Amino acid sequence: MTTSNNRRPGRWRFAAAIGTAAALVLSGCGLNESDDSSGDKAGGGTVLRIGTTTDVSNFNPLQSLSKTDSWILNAMYPHLLRIDENAKKAPELAKDYSYEDGGKTAVFHLRDDFTWSDGKPVVAEDVKFSAEQIMKYKLGNVAAKLTWVTSVEAPDATTVKFKLSQPYAPFAEGVGFWMSIVPKHVFESAGDLSKFANDADWVGAGPFVLDSATKGQRYVMKRNEKYPLAPGGKAALSQVEYRIYPDVNTMMLALRNGDIDLMGTPVPASAAKTFENDDKIKLQKVGALGFAHLTYNMNNKDLAKQEVRQALSMAVDTKAIIASVLQGDAQQMAGPISPIFADYDNPEVQPYPFDPAGAKAKLSSAGYRDGDGDGLFDNLTLGVACDQSNANLTRVVQLFRESAAKAGIKLENQCVERNTFLSRTKNGEYDIDASQWGVFDNPMDQLRSTYLSSNPGGINYNLLKSPEMDGLINDAAATTDKDAFAEKIKNIDKVVHEQAYLTPLYVENFQFAYNASKFTGFVASPSDLLGMVTAYSLAQVKPAS
Amino acid sequence: MARFVLSRAVKAVLTIWIAITATFFLLRLLPGDPTTLMVEGDMTPEMQAALLKTYGLDRPLWEQYVSYLRELTQGNFGISFRQIQPVTDILVERLPWTLLLAGTAFVVTIAVGIPIGVYAAVHRGRWPDKVLQVLGIGGHALFVPSVAMLLLVYLGARLGWFPIGGAIDPDTRGAAAYASLAHHLVLPVLSLVLVQLGPYALTLRTNMIEVLGEDYIRAARARGLATRRRVWKHGLRNAILPALTLMGLQLGTLVGGAVLTETVFAYPGVGRLIFEAVGQRDYPVLQGAFIMLAVTVVIANSLTDLLYAVLNPRIRL
């Protein structure tokens, strides 16, 4: 018995030692892996370290839909066009584009000095292959933008022609901006590209090409020695390294501590002040390509009335919302076209004034009554749905409820978990939708998505079926003359505003933080999708001194 | 003993099967489908149908379930929706980090908790005991991410003693890599230990006080057995049994806590993988990760039961 008693603590020690050793050996696998995959050092060159929030979920740029993936993949796979700091399309791989056959053929002329990292030139066949594979396997969100394409031709190495079933004015801009170009000579051997992971031996033609990926830890990109859009023909940085910080507060600490040089994700408005006393850190402000809005479900008998929608628009104190929720860091909107698209912004359209008394009078004249004298109109209760995880919009809904009550309108807060919210909006199960559009790169795509009744894949949250709007949108879509096109967009802007199909709230400003004592030259693009982490921007960055 | 082991094994398998089934159906009961999150904005019905078909989500639920179980029996957790890679490969990459983190926190909690609990019991009513009682009760109120962020801000950022996030400095090699590994492990382990330690030591203290009042301990004292031997050898062996069960149960909490700790400390384990997969509604990865965690907890609990049975033969009766 005594012997046995003496042995037991020994067993425990043994078990503990085995457990610890096993854990260390297992984690040793991780160590070895990082040894193998980290590749060569920067060789004394300049390394820019960027904080990202999550691992790359998909290395296949034709399929990937993640914002954080695009920060890495867009630096590697060129696009025909990029978006500049004024939200205008600028040349990237394509020098220019034009329309032929009355708008039924879009022609891109490519530069001849883009080179894949294995030495082969980037040619029109690569563009043709990329587009055809997207159409064949319905890959990513670009597939919807190729809906009109009947065939793609590459008559020579630098010309690509997209034959369209009907003219669509913003086709070239949309496809040019969104579609990644992949190397045909590498991807064609993969077969079904919807099942191609592309997780090793990367070949790219951007300023940087992925060299190693240590899942959960970092992604190292090496400079492509030939990148024509960088000053001097190649990027000044020798290496770009992405490190993962899922928590934005941790990422901010890492920037302050010098572990990273740039935050890929925007700094929350409430936290931006914490960088004010740090001389090294600089904040760069960019506008959004989307906007926050209240959209009214036309299937609701009350919301189907123009007076009710207008009254609701008059019951939102947008200025107060911007001042309190966004701490002033946003621009108020009037019509459905963001002011960031200066060419299409209609100056005639002004926001509905915040006027609860006026809203009340409008509803009274529309026949609504307050029979019980509780200050609220009888039989006018509406639900406002939002994504609970969006702290800004949750507060917007709260403020909207309070201001609408002053106009006699009773609103119910129906903010729910994100997936439930997305599911409900998709099924039209809401009265008022308070949400934020992500990224619109051109007004036509936006109007088509949000108001065209025959667009089944759109985001027509109004559930609008208006022959008038359909006619206006289809007419503008087929107009390839730029001035005439802009006039038609401005007219739609006016109609939507008069009808008050939605109440646009604000265009948010995003702030990106970087270590200005070490790096300079970033070219920020609008939206949190692009921000400071675009191929063009990374190619312009250089050491600060 | 063989019958005991067999019954434990059957219970363990049954528990794991229930966990697999519950995970499978609960994920699919969530509103919407994964394609909702894949493409926000323009997604034609054809694109959605193609996505559902690619991932086998267009088939009846029972068919998906049977097929999933069949694949599982062959050790196949499926292919990640987002990463287009076998889930097994993804998990094998992440599991060692979680085992290292949770395992170290487990060992440290026991190693530190035992002496504290015993010391407080022996010196009952005096100030170390009172401090432990406050800390023990306070431990229940601590929230892992808050503790983790406090440690990061003060010990990581302000004092600069420990790294801000990550599991290792990727540029280190050999012995320096292991040193870096240990350095990065300190704060995440500390945040888990701080939350677990108080309640664990308090339980041990209570058990120890009870045991020290038993007749056989008093008899041992009467026989003139040294205090050290009486407390640490005879007392602890009996007092530790309930605390051991508590620790087995707390392992689940520890693994759950790792999800939050790994997110705050940017630690590359299964916990963070779950955090990311939830956001992307990546069913296969979530299923694989939950099953792996369930298996870990079930095995740990079964081992605790067995250890308990070895130490206390009455359990086997």
Side-chain angles (χ1 to χ4, degrees):
Chain A
M1 188 70 187
T2 314
T3 318
S4 134
N5 278 350
N6 282 340
R7 250 194 235 148
R8 230 158 247 144
R11 277 188 207 159
W12 289 356
R13 277 197 292 272
F14 179 70
I18 289 287
T20 311
L24 277 170
V25 167
L26 283 165
S27 67
C29 298
L31 290 180
N32 291 338
E33 184 186 51
S34 80
D35 277 352
D36 293 342
S37 57
S38 61
D40 295 334
K41 292 284 185 334
T46 316
V47 184
L48 176 77
R49 289 159 305 167
I50 303 172
T52 179
T53 53
T54 180
D55 270 298
V56 171
S57 60
N58 191 327
F59 292 101
N60 184 342
L62 302 185
Q63 196 168 25
S64 176
L65 294 158
S66 147
K67 177 170 74 179
T68 47
D69 285 6
S70 75
W71 292 343
I72 294 174
L73 300 177
N74 286 358
M76 187 152 64
Y77 299 100
H79 291 219
L80 292 164
L81 305 171
R82 67 181 182 87
I83 205 161
D84 69 12
E85 39 292 36
N86 302 313
K88 290 194 174 177
K89 298 294 167 11
E92 192 173 300
L93 175 61
K95 284 189 292 189
D96 54 46
Y97 69 87
S98 57
Y99 286 99
E100 293 172 356
D101 305 335
K104 286 183 80 176
T105 304
V107 186
F108 287 95
H109 297 104
L110 311 185
R111 295 176 67 116
D112 59 4
D113 49 2
F114 264 76
T115 314
W116 295 110
S117 50
D118 61 1
K120 292 199 164 51
V122 181
V123 290
E125 277 295 334
D126 293 316
V127 180
K128 180 177 186 286
F129 172 79
S130 304
E132 286 175 345
Q133 297 301 306
I134 290 169
M135 291 192 289
K136 182 175 178 186
Y137 296 108
K138 296 184 169 47
L139 302 175
N141 58 355
V142 181
K145 302 207 177 288
L146 292 167
T147 309
W148 300 269
V149 176
T150 52
S151 65
V152 190
E153 293 170 10
D156 59 58
T158 56
T159 309
V160 187
K161 292 187 174 185
F162 289 87
K163 300 275 183 188
L164 310 179
S165 56
Q166 61 186 77
Y168 184 56
F171 170 82
E173 286 201 353
V175 170
F177 170 63
W178 287 100
M179 185 171 72
S180 295
I181 309 303
V182 298
K184 181 185 175 190
H185 62 282
V186 176
F187 275 53
E188 69 183 345
S189 55
D192 181 349
L193 287 191
S194 67
K195 298 191 169 86
F196 177 45
N198 185 36
D199 54 359
D201 303 326
W202 296 280
V203 173
F208 297 93
V209 180
L210 203 55
D211 184 56
S212 71
T214 310
K215 281 277 175 82
Q217 296 182 58
R218 69 170 182 174
Y219 295 82
V220 178
M221 302 189 85
K222 281 197 161 175
R223 176 170 59 201
N224 180 359
E225 294 303 314
K226 277 184 81 179
Y227 185 70
L229 300 183
K234 66 175 180 183
L237 305 169
S238 59
Q239 195 169 293
V240 171
E241 186 181 316
Y242 288 81
R243 293 193 176 189
I244 304 159
Y245 298 90
D247 184 279
V248 73
N249 297 307
T250 312
M251 198 193 289
M252 286 170 63
L253 288 175
L255 177 68
R256 202 191 291 274
N257 249 33
D259 293 353
I260 53 170
D261 309 305
L262 165 69
M263 285 176 66
T265 193
V267 180
S270 55
K273 283 189 172 65
T274 60
F275 285 123
E276 272 174 4
N277 298 327
D278 196 324
D279 296 339
K280 302 191 301 289
I281 311 296
K282 197 171 168 185
L283 287 163
Q284 185 144 344
K285 213 173 259 194
V286 305
L289 283 174
F291 58 90
H293 59 95
L294 302 164
T295 293
Y296 307 115
N297 186 338
M298 299 292 282
N299 288 348
N300 177 294
K301 66 175 174 44
D302 295 309
L303 294 171
K305 297 174 189 161
Q306 185 182 5
E307 301 94 319
V308 175
R309 299 193 301 268
Q310 286 178 333
L312 282 161
S313 298
M314 293 160 74
V316 188
D317 192 352
T318 314
K319 283 182 182 157
I321 286 172
I322 292 173
S324 67
V325 179
L326 294 139
Q327 301 183 1
D329 217 359
Q331 196 177 343
Q332 188 178 6
M333 280 187 69
I337 304 298
S338 167
I340 205 158
F341 300 112
D343 294 349
Y344 306 103
D345 193 24
N346 189 341
E348 280 179 37
V349 172
Q350 291 298 315
Y352 285 90
F354 174 56
D355 180 8
K360 219 169 193 172
K362 200 176 260 295
L363 288 170
S364 296
S365 61
Y368 288 92
R369 295 283 170 266
D370 175 13
D372 55 11
D374 66 349
L376 298 169
F377 289 105
D378 305 333
N379 307 317
L380 184 63
T381 301
L382 299 160
V384 190
C386 88
D387 167 10
Q388 213 169 39
S389 66
N390 187 323
N392 286 354
L393 284 169
T394 312
R395 288 195 59 204
V396 165
V397 171
Q398 184 57 35
L399 293 171
F400 182 30
R401 277 181 66 199
E402 288 165 15
S403 61
K406 290 179 192 163
I409 307 166
K410 188 180 177 189
L411 297 179
E412 284 173 354
N413 184 332
Q414 293 176 348
C415 292
V416 287
E417 173 269 334
R418 180 172 165 75
N419 293 319
T420 312
F421 170 72
L422 288 175
S423 170
R424 286 189 187 167
T425 48
K426 213 174 173 185
N427 297 326
E429 296 164 3
Y430 55 87
D431 297 328
I432 302 173
D433 167 87
S435 59
Q436 188 150 357
W437 299 130
V439 174
F440 286 121
D441 73 288
N442 72 73
M444 189 70 249
D445 273 355
Q446 174 194 331
L447 295 172
R448 202 178 168 277
S449 284
T450 48
Y451 299 116
L452 191 64
S453 62
S454 61
N455 183 11
I459 38 180
N460 180 356
Y461 290 173
N462 284 109
L463 306 176
L464 184 66
K465 291 186 186 81
S466 159
E468 185 203 1
M469 281 296 287
D470 285 355
L472 290 172
I473 290 168
N474 286 330
D475 177 43
T479 308
T480 49
D481 176 78
K482 283 192 175 172
D483 292 337
F485 177 72
E487 279 312 307
K488 286 177 180 176
I489 295 290
K490 285 179 186 177
N491 183 43
I492 297 175
D493 194 345
K494 197 173 146 198
V495 173
V496 171
H497 179 260
E498 278 168 7
Q499 285 293 329
Y501 288 135
L502 87 166
T503 304
L505 296 173
Y506 53 79
V507 184
E508 199 175 343
N509 288 324
F510 296 113
Q511 298 198 73
F512 293 92
Y514 66 99
N515 190 331
S517 71
K518 288 171 75 179
F519 294 100
T520 181
F522 293 97
V523 182
S525 298
S527 90
D528 59 335
L529 170 73
L530 306 161
M532 310 277 269
V533 198
T534 62
Y536 185 79
S537 177
L538 294 176
Q540 316 305 314
V541 176
K542 55 186 186 222
S545 49
Chain B
M1 185 68 183
R3 230 177 90 197
F4 180 78
V5 172
L6 189 71
S7 85
R8 284 283 155 217
V10 170
K11 274 184 190 164
V13 170
L14 204 66
T15 311
I16 290 168
W17 174 72
I18 291 170
I20 291 169
T21 308
T23 309
F24 182 90
F25 286 104
L26 280 174
L27 284 175
R28 282 157 178 79
L29 279 175
L30 292 172
D33 61 61
T35 58
T36 316
L37 284 181
M38 282 181 198
V39 188
E40 280 183 56
D42 284 352
M43 177 165 67
T44 61
E46 293 79 31
M47 277 171 70
Q48 189 179 15
L51 282 171
L52 289 172
K53 192 170 179 215
T54 303
Y55 300 126
L57 296 167
D58 57 336
R59 292 185 292 161
L61 208 54
W62 67 267
E63 214 178 286
Q64 291 181 44
Y65 176 65
V66 171
S67 147
Y68 186 63
L69 284 186
R70 196 186 309 125
E71 292 294 319
L72 269 186
T73 55
Q74 292 160 17
N76 184 2
F77 283 87
I79 304 288
S80 158
F81 288 170
R82 290 299 182 107
Q83 304 188 33
I84 331 177
Q85 276 182 333
V87 172
T88 316
D89 293 357
I90 297 169
L91 290 173
V92 163
E93 228 169 352
R94 299 297 191 97
L95 189 65
W97 295 110
T98 299
L99 287 181
L100 181 67
L101 176 57
T104 310
F106 185 76
V107 171
V108 171
T109 305
I110 291 178
V112 179
I114 289 175
I116 292 178
V118 171
Y119 189 83
V122 173
H123 300 86
R124 184 159 46 133
R126 286 158 65 182
W127 71 265
D129 182 36
K130 286 177 182 161
V131 169
L132 173 68
Q133 287 188 51
V134 172
L135 292 181
I137 294 161
H140 284 293
L142 290 177
F143 185 45
V144 174
S146 315
V147 175
M149 199 36 88
L150 274 176
L151 292 175
L152 253 190
V153 169
Y154 288 99
L155 302 184
R158 295 224 173 140
L159 297 171
W161 291 350
F162 299 100
I164 305 289
I168 189 168
D169 181 350
D171 294 323
T172 52
R173 298 286 177 274
Y178 282 94
S180 170
L181 184 83
H183 196 201
H184 281 78
L185 204 56
V186 175
L187 292 187
V189 165
L190 191 58
S191 63
L192 287 174
V193 168
L194 282 177
V195 174
Q196 301 270 333
L197 187 64
Y200 176 72
L202 205 58
T203 308
L204 192 72
R205 169 198 172 271
T206 312
N207 298 338
M208 198 68 192
I209 287 171
E210 212 172 291
V211 170
L212 289 178
E214 296 273 344
D215 289 345
Y216 72 94
I217 295 287
R218 271 185 278 174
R221 191 177 182 179
R223 285 207 313 273
L225 214 61
T227 308
R228 194 186 162 99
R229 194 172 163 82
R230 211 172 60 230
V231 171
W232 289 97
K233 193 168 167 58
H234 295 271
L236 181 61
R237 204 189 139 198
N238 287 295
I240 207 168
L241 289 176
L244 200 69
T245 313
L246 175 80
M247 215 45 210
L249 292 171
Q250 278 191 333
L251 193 71
T253 323
L254 205 63
V255 170
V259 175
L260 303 166
T261 317
E262 288 175 6
T263 304
V264 174
F265 287 103
Y267 210 79
V270 178
R272 213 180 85 196
L273 185 71
I274 291 174
F275 178 80
E276 290 165 3
V278 165
Q280 301 174 330
R281 204 71 93 76
D282 198 337
Y283 288 166
V285 168
L286 280 177
Q287 282 163 185
F290 286 145
I291 290 167
M292 198 167 264
L293 293 183
V295 169
T296 309
V297 173
V298 168
I299 288 177
N301 278 307
S302 303
L303 288 177
T304 313
D305 282 353
L306 287 177
L307 195 60
Y308 205 121
V310 170
L311 295 174
N312 185 355
R314 279 176 299 177
I315 296 294
R316 286 179 251 154
L317 296 176

